[in-house]
């Protein structure tokens, strides 16, 4: 299946092919290669609007995930028909991520990839509202990033936000 990637912002140049390849590898590491994923590179304005509507927090953010199926953490959806082999959509706040990277000195492409991994985990039911949920999600992110590192020679690690 496919990763449909759309760049809906102009503030930050994004190399789409490497990002698409990374998301395909991460999806495979999750055992979800047969599922489609939508990936949107978004501006601060779009992320602020979406975050306000769906999370009642009207400010830009790094990632928002919109699952097509509701599943428990780590479960793969069991669609009733072939047209529903879709994990959902991930909106990457590339302008926000780029600004954060400028402040921290982190590599933009690396952080974008790690943020996409975080978004994929959300599509598969992982959450981080409690410390046990955060630990479970962190472990899954570490596992799939380790697989990507093995394939690409990179050294990516999960987002470092502390548990609640």
């Amino acid at each position: 299946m496919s990763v449909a990637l759309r760049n809906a912002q102009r503030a930050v140049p994004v190399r789409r092919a490497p990002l698409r390849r990374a998301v395909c590898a991460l999806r495979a590491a999750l055992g979800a290669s047969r599922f489609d994923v939508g990936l949107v590179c978004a501006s601060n304005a779009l992320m602020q609007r979406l975050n306000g509507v769906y999370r009642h927090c009207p400010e830009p953010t790094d990632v928002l995930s919109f699952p097509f199926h509701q599943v428990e953490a780590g479960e793969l959806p069991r669609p009733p028909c072939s047209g529903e082999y879709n994990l959902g959509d991930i909106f990457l706040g590339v302008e926000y991520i780029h600004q954060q990277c400028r402040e921290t000195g982190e590599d933009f492409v690396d952080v974008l990839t790690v943020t996409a991994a975080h978004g994929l985990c959300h599509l598969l039911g992982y959450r981080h509202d409690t410390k046990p949920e955060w630990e479970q999600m962190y472990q899954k992110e570490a596992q799939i990033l380790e697989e990507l590192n093995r394939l690409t020679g990179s050294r990516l690690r999960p987002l470092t936000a502390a548990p609640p």
Side-chain angles (χ1 to χ4, degrees):
M1 297 304 222
S2 70
V3 173
L5 195 154
R6 178 172 171 247
N7 189 3
Q9 58 83 47
R10 294 177 188 218
V12 180
V14 176
R15 295 186 58 222
R16 290 183 286 189
L19 180 57
R20 182 180 287 114
R21 280 193 302 272
V23 170
C24 284
L26 291 165
R27 190 180 52 166
L30 285 163
S33 291
R34 64 181 184 231
F35 290 89
D36 293 327
V37 173
L39 194 61
V40 178
C41 295
S43 65
N44 278 348
L46 177 56
M47 293 303 283
Q48 180 174 337
R49 201 164 45 251
L50 292 171
N51 207 16
V53 169
Y54 293 102
R55 296 184 64 232
H56 309 292
C57 186
E59 56 192 49
T61 188
D62 57 352
V63 64
L64 292 169
S65 297
F66 299 94
F68 189 79
H69 303 276
Q70 296 300 317
V71 294
E72 293 296 316
E75 287 185 8
L76 287 177
R78 296 189 186 116
C81 63
S82 62
E84 294 185 7
Y85 273 81
N86 183 354
L87 288 182
D89 297 317
I90 300 167
F91 285 74
L92 294 173
V94 295
E95 189 176 357
Y96 181 90
I97 294 167
H98 190 260
Q99 289 168 344
Q100 296 297 314
C101 288
R102 279 200 330 250
E103 292 172 13
T104 63
E106 293 180 88
D107 182 82
F108 171 68
V109 173
D110 287 353
V111 174
L112 197 60
T113 302
V114 171
T115 306
H118 187 82
L120 277 168
C121 286
H122 277 308
L123 293 182
L124 288 176
Y126 290 94
R127 304 182 54 84
H128 45 77
D129 298 327
T130 66
K131 187 173 180 178
E133 288 175 342
W134 180 88
E135 289 170 352
Q136 182 184 32
M137 184 166 180
Y138 186 90
Q139 287 178 334
K140 180 51 75 173
E141 284 181 42
Q143 176 191 347
I144 66 172
L145 288 169
E146 198 172 290
E147 177 64 16
L148 181 64
N149 291 341
R150 188 185 64 73
L151 294 170
T152 64
S154 54
R155 295 168 50 185
L156 304 177
R157 300 184 42 80
L159 297 173
T160 56

PDB file of all heavy atoms in Angstrom, residues 112-130:
ATOM      1  N   LEU A 112      12.061  15.461  12.066  1.00  0.00           N
ATOM      2  CA  LEU A 112      10.862  15.237  11.257  1.00  0.00           C
ATOM      3  C   LEU A 112      10.548  13.741  11.177  1.00  0.00           C
ATOM      4  O   LEU A 112       9.399  13.321  11.341  1.00  0.00           O
ATOM      5  CB  LEU A 112      11.076  15.824   9.863  1.00  0.00           C
ATOM      6  CG  LEU A 112       9.851  16.048   8.999  1.00  0.00           C
ATOM      7  CD1 LEU A 112       8.868  17.014   9.650  1.00  0.00           C
ATOM      8  CD2 LEU A 112      10.283  16.591   7.639  1.00  0.00           C
ATOM      9  N   THR A 113      11.572  12.925  10.969  1.00  0.00           N
ATOM     10  CA  THR A 113      11.390  11.475  10.883  1.00  0.00           C
ATOM     11  C   THR A 113      10.921  10.895  12.218  1.00  0.00           C
ATOM     12  O   THR A 113       9.997  10.075  12.265  1.00  0.00           O
ATOM     13  CB  THR A 113      12.705  10.802  10.439  1.00  0.00           C
ATOM     14  OG1 THR A 113      13.095  11.357   9.185  1.00  0.00           O
ATOM     15  CG2 THR A 113      12.551   9.305  10.320  1.00  0.00           C
ATOM     16  N   VAL A 114      11.536  11.330  13.309  1.00  0.00           N
ATOM     17  CA  VAL A 114      11.146  10.846  14.639  1.00  0.00           C
ATOM     18  C   VAL A 114       9.715  11.274  14.959  1.00  0.00           C
ATOM     19  O   VAL A 114       8.928  10.503  15.520  1.00  0.00           O
ATOM     20  CB  VAL A 114      12.137  11.344  15.713  1.00  0.00           C
ATOM     21  CG1 VAL A 114      11.630  11.049  17.117  1.00  0.00           C
ATOM     22  CG2 VAL A 114      13.504  10.705  15.500  1.00  0.00           C
ATOM     23  N   THR A 115       9.353  12.482  14.554  1.00  0.00           N
ATOM     24  CA  THR A 115       7.992  12.967  14.789  1.00  0.00           C
ATOM     25  C   THR A 115       6.985  12.158  13.977  1.00  0.00           C
ATOM     26  O   THR A 115       5.881  11.850  14.455  1.00  0.00           O
ATOM     27  CB  THR A 115       7.894  14.470  14.475  1.00  0.00           C
ATOM     28  OG1 THR A 115       8.897  15.169  15.231  1.00  0.00           O
ATOM     29  CG2 THR A 115       6.533  15.027  14.840  1.00  0.00           C
ATOM     30  N   ALA A 116       7.351  11.783  12.760  1.00  0.00           N
ATOM     31  CA  ALA A 116       6.478  10.923  11.948  1.00  0.00           C
ATOM     32  C   ALA A 116       6.305   9.556  12.622  1.00  0.00           C
ATOM     33  O   ALA A 116       5.200   8.998  12.627  1.00  0.00           O
ATOM     34  CB  ALA A 116       7.045  10.764  10.541  1.00  0.00           C
ATOM     35  N   ALA A 117       7.374   9.023  13.206  1.00  0.00           N
ATOM     36  CA  ALA A 117       7.276   7.745  13.933  1.00  0.00           C
ATOM     37  C   ALA A 117       6.299   7.886  15.101  1.00  0.00           C
ATOM     38  O   ALA A 117       5.478   6.994  15.355  1.00  0.00           O
ATOM     39  CB  ALA A 117       8.653   7.318  14.442  1.00  0.00           C
ATOM     40  N   HIS A 118       6.368   8.996  15.788  1.00  0.00           N
ATOM     41  CA  HIS A 118       5.466   9.273  16.909  1.00  0.00           C
ATOM     42  C   HIS A 118       4.016   9.294  16.403  1.00  0.00           C
ATOM     43  O   HIS A 118       3.123   8.676  16.996  1.00  0.00           O
ATOM     44  CB  HIS A 118       5.858  10.622  17.522  1.00  0.00           C
ATOM     45  CG  HIS A 118       5.141  10.958  18.779  1.00  0.00           C
ATOM     46  ND1 HIS A 118       5.519  10.480  20.016  1.00  0.00           N
ATOM     47  CD2 HIS A 118       4.063  11.758  18.998  1.00  0.00           C
ATOM     48  CE1 HIS A 118       4.704  10.962  20.943  1.00  0.00           C
ATOM     49  NE2 HIS A 118       3.810  11.746  20.350  1.00  0.00           N
ATOM     50  N   GLY A 119       3.795   9.972  15.288  1.00  0.00           N
ATOM     51  CA  GLY A 119       2.462  10.042  14.697  1.00  0.00           C
ATOM     52  C   GLY A 119       1.942   8.682  14.275  1.00  0.00           C
ATOM     53  O   GLY A 119       0.760   8.364  14.475  1.00  0.00           O
ATOM     54  N   LEU A 120       2.816   7.854  13.699  1.00  0.00           N
ATOM     55  CA  LEU A 120       2.413   6.495  13.313  1.00  0.00           C
ATOM     56  C   LEU A 120       1.981   5.684  14.531  1.00  0.00           C
ATOM     57  O   LEU A 120       0.994   4.940  14.469  1.00  0.00           O
ATOM     58  CB  LEU A 120       3.562   5.783  12.596  1.00  0.00           C
ATOM     59  CG  LEU A 120       3.721   6.065  11.115  1.00  0.00           C
ATOM     60  CD1 LEU A 120       5.057   5.528  10.622  1.00  0.00           C
ATOM     61  CD2 LEU A 120       2.574   5.452  10.319  1.00  0.00           C
ATOM     62  N   CYS A 121       2.717   5.819  15.613  1.00  0.00           N
ATOM     63  CA  CYS A 121       2.341   5.096  16.831  1.00  0.00           C
ATOM     64  C   CYS A 121       0.953   5.527  17.310  1.00  0.00           C
ATOM     65  O   CYS A 121       0.152   4.689  17.739  1.00  0.00           O
ATOM     66  CB  CYS A 121       3.389   5.304  17.919  1.00  0.00           C
ATOM     67  SG  CYS A 121       4.923   4.390  17.622  1.00  0.00           S
ATOM     68  N   HIS A 122       0.655   6.817  17.207  1.00  0.00           N
ATOM     69  CA  HIS A 122      -0.687   7.280  17.582  1.00  0.00           C
ATOM     70  C   HIS A 122      -1.754   6.645  16.696  1.00  0.00           C
ATOM     71  O   HIS A 122      -2.839   6.312  17.175  1.00  0.00           O
ATOM     72  CB  HIS A 122      -0.782   8.806  17.488  1.00  0.00           C
ATOM     73  CG  HIS A 122      -0.267   9.523  18.692  1.00  0.00           C
ATOM     74  ND1 HIS A 122      -0.675   9.239  19.972  1.00  0.00           N
ATOM     75  CD2 HIS A 122       0.625  10.542  18.805  1.00  0.00           C
ATOM     76  CE1 HIS A 122      -0.066  10.048  20.827  1.00  0.00           C
ATOM     77  NE2 HIS A 122       0.736  10.843  20.136  1.00  0.00           N
ATOM     78  N   LEU A 123      -1.457   6.463  15.412  1.00  0.00           N
ATOM     79  CA  LEU A 123      -2.439   5.838  14.512  1.00  0.00           C
ATOM     80  C   LEU A 123      -2.743   4.402  14.923  1.00  0.00           C
ATOM     81  O   LEU A 123      -3.809   3.876  14.602  1.00  0.00           O
ATOM     82  CB  LEU A 123      -1.952   5.867  13.062  1.00  0.00           C
ATOM     83  CG  LEU A 123      -1.839   7.240  12.405  1.00  0.00           C
ATOM     84  CD1 LEU A 123      -1.388   7.087  10.956  1.00  0.00           C
ATOM     85  CD2 LEU A 123      -3.135   8.021  12.491  1.00  0.00           C
ATOM     86  N   LEU A 124      -1.804   3.778  15.630  1.00  0.00           N
ATOM     87  CA  LEU A 124      -2.006   2.392  16.073  1.00  0.00           C
ATOM     88  C   LEU A 124      -2.395   2.313  17.551  1.00  0.00           C
ATOM     89  O   LEU A 124      -2.175   1.295  18.210  1.00  0.00           O
ATOM     90  CB  LEU A 124      -0.754   1.568  15.802  1.00  0.00           C
ATOM     91  CG  LEU A 124      -0.530   1.277  14.318  1.00  0.00           C
ATOM     92  CD1 LEU A 124       0.769   0.536  14.102  1.00  0.00           C
ATOM     93  CD2 LEU A 124      -1.697   0.487  13.740  1.00  0.00           C
ATOM     94  N   GLY A 125      -2.983   3.385  18.058  1.00  0.00           N
ATOM     95  CA  GLY A 125      -3.580   3.334  19.388  1.00  0.00           C
ATOM     96  C   GLY A 125      -2.675   3.686  20.544  1.00  0.00           C
ATOM     97  O   GLY A 125      -3.119   3.664  21.700  1.00  0.00           O
ATOM     98  N   TYR A 126      -1.408   3.985  20.299  1.00  0.00           N
ATOM     99  CA  TYR A 126      -0.512   4.358  21.398  1.00  0.00           C
ATOM    100  C   TYR A 126      -0.837   5.772  21.846  1.00  0.00           C
ATOM    101  O   TYR A 126      -1.133   6.649  21.042  1.00  0.00           O
ATOM    102  CB  TYR A 126       0.956   4.259  20.961  1.00  0.00           C
ATOM    103  CG  TYR A 126       1.404   2.850  20.755  1.00  0.00           C
ATOM    104  CD1 TYR A 126       1.355   2.269  19.498  1.00  0.00           C
ATOM    105  CD2 TYR A 126       1.867   2.084  21.824  1.00  0.00           C
ATOM    106  CE1 TYR A 126       1.764   0.955  19.297  1.00  0.00           C
ATOM    107  CE2 TYR A 126       2.267   0.768  21.630  1.00  0.00           C
ATOM    108  CZ  TYR A 126       2.226   0.216  20.370  1.00  0.00           C
ATOM    109  OH  TYR A 126       2.620  -1.077  20.180  1.00  0.00           O
ATOM    110  N   ARG A 127      -0.761   5.970  23.168  1.00  0.00           N
ATOM    111  CA  ARG A 127      -1.045   7.276  23.761  1.00  0.00           C
ATOM    112  C   ARG A 127       0.030   7.586  24.789  1.00  0.00           C
ATOM    113  O   ARG A 127       0.833   6.721  25.121  1.00  0.00           O
ATOM    114  CB  ARG A 127      -2.425   7.252  24.430  1.00  0.00           C
ATOM    115  CG  ARG A 127      -3.559   6.847  23.482  1.00  0.00           C
ATOM    116  CD  ARG A 127      -4.911   6.870  24.158  1.00  0.00           C
ATOM    117  NE  ARG A 127      -5.202   8.137  24.778  1.00  0.00           N
ATOM    118  CZ  ARG A 127      -5.720   9.203  24.141  1.00  0.00           C
ATOM    119  NH1 ARG A 127      -5.990   9.119  22.869  1.00  0.00           N
ATOM    120  NH2 ARG A 127      -5.970  10.322  24.783  1.00  0.00           N
ATOM    121  N   HIS A 128      -0.009   8.798  25.324  1.00  0.00           N
ATOM    122  CA  HIS A 128       0.945   9.156  26.375  1.00  0.00           C
ATOM    123  C   HIS A 128       0.296  10.057  27.415  1.00  0.00           C
ATOM    124  O   HIS A 128       0.887  11.019  27.881  1.00  0.00           O
ATOM    125  CB  HIS A 128       2.219   9.782  25.787  1.00  0.00           C
ATOM    126  CG  HIS A 128       1.990  10.816  24.736  1.00  0.00           C
ATOM    127  ND1 HIS A 128       1.592  12.099  25.001  1.00  0.00           N
ATOM    128  CD2 HIS A 128       2.104  10.738  23.393  1.00  0.00           C
ATOM    129  CE1 HIS A 128       1.480  12.769  23.882  1.00  0.00           C
ATOM    130  NE2 HIS A 128       1.780  11.975  22.873  1.00  0.00           N
ATOM    131  N   ASP A 129      -0.938   9.707  27.794  1.00  0.00           N
ATOM    132  CA  ASP A 129      -1.662  10.491  28.794  1.00  0.00           C
ATOM    133  C   ASP A 129      -1.243  10.137  30.218  1.00  0.00           C
ATOM    134  O   ASP A 129      -1.392  10.943  31.127  1.00  0.00           O
ATOM    135  CB  ASP A 129      -3.173  10.276  28.643  1.00  0.00           C
ATOM    136  CG  ASP A 129      -3.675  10.752  27.289  1.00  0.00           C
ATOM    137  OD1 ASP A 129      -3.125  11.739  26.756  1.00  0.00           O
ATOM    138  OD2 ASP A 129      -4.613  10.126  26.753  1.00  0.00           O
ATOM    139  N   THR A 130      -0.759   8.920  30.414  1.00  0.00           N
ATOM    140  CA  THR A 130      -0.300   8.484  31.734  1.00  0.00           C
ATOM    141  C   THR A 130       1.135   7.973  31.595  1.00  0.00           C
ATOM    142  O   THR A 130       1.608   7.700  30.491  1.00  0.00           O
ATOM    143  CB  THR A 130      -1.173   7.341  32.281  1.00  0.00           C
ATOM    144  OG1 THR A 130      -0.991   6.188  31.435  1.00  0.00           O
ATOM    145  CG2 THR A 130      -2.647   7.732  32.326  1.00  0.00           C
TER     146      THR A 130
END
